[in-house]
């Protein structure tokens, strides 16, 4: 499947209000494409425009890099894929060791502080919406 110029690979995440795909640009860069299912109205599609406009002004160390909006059969939001893992994927069944938890927590606090300094509130912070670098413990809000 193609969305704009991007070759879609697989579905990463699906909920009642969001579908997220992995894709590749013509130059070979990995991207993430976010859209809404057919079952939601224009309000949720408009939220993608709003997210794009707000996120363009955020520090890319703490938030995903937003590339473009595509309008085809629906609205698609294209972000850079940093190759990071969702925090939800990194938390073992029995929980995280306290030292590891503190490293991620401090990085998450830095990310939240950065977006709040731009007067932006992330209204859905949860382990699925936090991207983490396993080596540096850096976190980005998704």
């Amino acid at each position: 499947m193609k969305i704009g110029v991007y070759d879609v690979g697989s579905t990463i995440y699906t909920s009642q209000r969001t579908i997220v795909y992995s894709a590749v640009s013509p130059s070979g860069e990995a991207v993430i494409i976010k859209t809404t299912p057919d079952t939601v109205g224009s309000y949720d599609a408009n939220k993608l425009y709003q997210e794009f406009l707000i996120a363009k002004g955020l520090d890319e160390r703490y938030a995903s890099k937003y590339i473009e909006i595509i309008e085809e059969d629906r609205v698609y939001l294209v972000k850079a894929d940093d190759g990071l893992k969702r925090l939800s994927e990194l938390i073992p069944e029995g929980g995280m060791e306290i030292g590891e938890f503190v490293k991620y927590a401090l990085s998450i606090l830095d990310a939240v502080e950065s977006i709040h300094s731009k007067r932006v509130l992330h209204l859905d912070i949860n382990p699925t919406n936090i991207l983490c670098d396993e080596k540096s413990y850096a976190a980005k809000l998704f």
Side-chain angles (χ1 to χ4, degrees), residues 1-14 17-26 29-37 48 51 64-82 86 142:
M1 172 168 85
K2 266 190 134 24
I3 296 174
V5 298
Y6 303 94
D7 290 314
V8 176
S10 62
T11 303
I12 298 172
Y13 175 79
T14 303
R17 300 173 76 175
T18 306
I19 303 170
V20 180
Y21 301 106
S22 65
V24 178
S25 73
E29 293 179 75
V31 297
I32 294 171
I33 300 176
K34 182 177 179 181
T35 192
T36 57
L48 293 176
E51 179 180 340
S64 296
K65 176 184 175 187
Y66 286 66
I67 299 170
E68 68 175 316
I69 287 275
I70 297 172
E71 296 178 15
E72 290 183 347
D73 57 324
R74 64 181 76 173
V75 176
Y76 297 94
L77 177 61
V78 183
K79 306 178 185 188
D81 182 349
D82 301 312
R86 294 176 183 268
F142 183 73

Side-chain angles (χ1 to χ4, degrees), residues 85-99:
K85 287 191 175 180
R86 294 176 183 268
L87 181 59
S88 58
E89 297 172 42
L90 300 175
I91 300 172
E93 195 170 307
M96 208 176 257
E97 290 183 22
I98 190 70

Side-chain angles (χ1 to χ4, degrees), residues 5-139:
V5 298
Y6 303 94
D7 290 314
V8 176
S10 62
T11 303
I12 298 172
Y13 175 79
T14 303
S15 72
Q16 290 180 339
R17 300 173 76 175
T18 306
I19 303 170
V20 180
Y21 301 106
S22 65
V24 178
S25 73
S27 63
E29 293 179 75
V31 297
I32 294 171
I33 300 176
K34 182 177 179 181
T35 192
T36 57
D38 292 332
T39 56
V40 301
S42 62
Y43 173 77
D44 287 306
N46 286 336
K47 286 175 67 176
L48 293 176
Y49 286 106
Q50 184 178 10
E51 179 180 340
F52 181 77
L53 291 173
I54 290 169
K56 288 298 279 184
L58 299 178
D59 187 330
E60 292 176 9
R61 290 176 296 167
Y62 303 114
S64 296
K65 176 184 175 187
Y66 286 66
I67 299 170
E68 68 175 316
I69 287 275
I70 297 172
E71 296 178 15
E72 290 183 347
D73 57 324
R74 64 181 76 173
V75 176
Y76 297 94
L77 177 61
V78 183
K79 306 178 185 188
D81 182 349
D82 301 312
L84 304 176
K85 287 191 175 180
R86 294 176 183 268
L87 181 59
S88 58
E89 297 172 42
L90 300 175
I91 300 172
E93 195 170 307
M96 208 176 257
E97 290 183 22
I98 190 70
E100 188 176 28
F101 167 78
V102 168
K103 289 176 185 176
Y104 282 120
L106 292 173
S107 186
I108 293 164
L109 287 173
D110 287 342
V112 171
E113 179 182 41
S114 174
I115 68 164
H116 284 185
S117 73
K118 301 286 187 184
R119 300 190 180 276
V120 173
L121 295 177
H122 190 301
L123 299 176
D124 193 21
I125 295 176
N126 66 69
T128 302
N129 289 334
I130 300 170
L131 303 175
C132 297
D133 182 323
E134 293 178 273
K135 293 178 184 169
S136 69
Y137 297 96

